[in-house]
Amino acid sequence: MQTDKLPLWAKIVGCIFGVGLLFIGARFLIVPELAERGFGLIYDQPANSFHYTKGIRDIFSGLLLTVFSLYGWRKPLMVTVLAGSLIPVVDMLVVLNAPHAVPGAEWIHGLTAVTLWVFGYFLARS
């Protein structure tokens, strides 16, 4: 793939985001109840379909960010980061509107979205 070179700082930040998402996704698959509380919800459903959906989504996103960062693909990383910033925004809205949410847990999702926008901005400028 032909793309602009990715600076070292961006590779590191992209890998941190990617590995972080891999950890979060794996936690949703391995210890779903603990991960759910960390997400900000108290989701007392008999099935774990929410956990599996969230876990696979985060693992997939983490793999994309990690691979694009390691290969130095700036434009694909930038597009993935900016488009993917919709995910924490929606996650924040889910937590804000949940009847059984962990109080104050929505802020981490909002902060994640803002961080992704800042990272995407610097990727676009580099």
Side-chain angles (χ1 to χ4, degrees):
M1 173 178 286
Q2 184 67 28
T3 185
D4 299 338
K5 189 170 176 103
L6 190 64
L8 180 61
W9 69 265
K11 282 186 178 186
I12 293 169
V13 171
C15 283
I16 289 170
F17 275 122
V19 171
L21 280 170
L22 289 170
F23 170 78
I24 292 168
R27 192 167 76 158
F28 265 95
L29 296 177
I30 297 167
V31 283
E33 291 79 17
L34 179 64
E36 154 189 310
R37 276 203 161 307
F39 179 76
L41 294 179
I42 302 167
Y43 188 76
D44 54 355
Q45 296 287 327
N48 286 331
S49 57
F50 165 77
H51 305 108
Y52 299 144
T53 302
K54 172 99 172 72
I56 291 300
R57 178 192 78 180
D58 288 347
I59 287 174
F60 176 75
S61 299
L63 284 172
L64 282 180
L65 293 176
T66 303
V67 168
F68 291 164
S69 297
L70 290 175
Y71 279 98
W73 296 342
R74 186 184 64 80
K75 287 181 184 177
L77 179 62
M78 178 188 66
V79 170
T80 302
V81 163
L82 291 175
S85 69
L86 290 172
I87 294 170
V89 170
V90 172
D91 288 350
M92 180 180 67
L93 294 173
V94 167
V95 172
L96 279 171
N97 291 305
H100 303 292
V102 176
E106 66 284 339
W107 70 269
I108 191 67
H109 302 292
L111 182 63
T112 301
V114 170
T115 304
L116 289 171
W117 295 333
V118 170
F119 184 42
Y121 170 79
F122 283 110
L123 285 172
R125 292 191 40 111
S126 62

